Amino acid sequence: MIQINHGSGWFTTHIHLQSRSVGVGASVTTGQLIGYVGRTAGRNPHRHALRGDQYVYCRVWGPIVQVGSAFNHWWLKTDLDEGNPWQNQYVSACYLSRWGNDVARDNSGVDLPDC
């Protein structure tokens, strides 16, 4: 996973990468190679890019996802930019962990509603 902080609460998170080309805390520029597309569960190579302005409808409690010391059981119902179908998919709140572990809040800090 690579998460790019654009400032003012905006970020882009790239998941399912084969490898990263930048280190933690690195500054990046537009057009810079940040990593290579990977595959999971035998699927064709793919990646997910989640924007900080991605629309989230609601949350459900589910299997834990942990990345380093960050973890979250909440899964967020959202409209992704890609995938089939691209509507009403779920993404782990671990990748949107601005507010901490096992928390699912909007950009204003308000808890997301349960689905």
Side-chain angles (χ1 to χ4, degrees):
M1 176 189 82
I2 295 174
Q3 187 171 76
I4 299 172
N5 183 343
H6 302 281
S8 300
W10 296 98
F11 57 88
T12 308
T13 304
H14 300 269
I15 59 176
H16 292 191
L17 298 172
Q18 175 183 329
S19 63
R20 298 184 323 182
S21 298
V22 295
V24 174
S27 293
V28 297
T29 60
T30 302
Q32 179 179 346
L33 177 67
I34 60 170
Y36 290 92
V37 174
R39 68 173 69 220
T40 56
R43 296 181 61 199
N44 290 330
H46 68 286
R47 64 120 173 104
H48 300 275
L50 310 171
R51 296 188 322 259
D53 62 346
Q54 202 72 54
Y55 188 79
V56 173
Y57 299 111
C58 55
R59 67 185 184 176
V60 296
W61 193 256
I64 190 170
V65 173
Q66 184 163 356
V67 179
S69 63
F71 64 89
N72 214 310
H73 285 88
W74 288 111
W75 288 80
L76 311 176
K77 187 175 182 180
T78 185
D79 283 344
L80 297 175
D81 294 332
E82 57 187 57
N84 187 12
W86 56 269
Q87 292 183 323
N88 300 325
Q89 295 186 33
Y90 287 84
V91 63
S92 171
C94 186
Y95 300 110
L96 308 173
S97 60
R98 174 180 177 188
W99 300 107
N101 294 327
D102 275 345
V103 175
R105 296 181 179 158
D106 66 16
N107 284 338
S108 300
V110 176
D111 281 336
L112 293 168
D114 293 338
C115 294

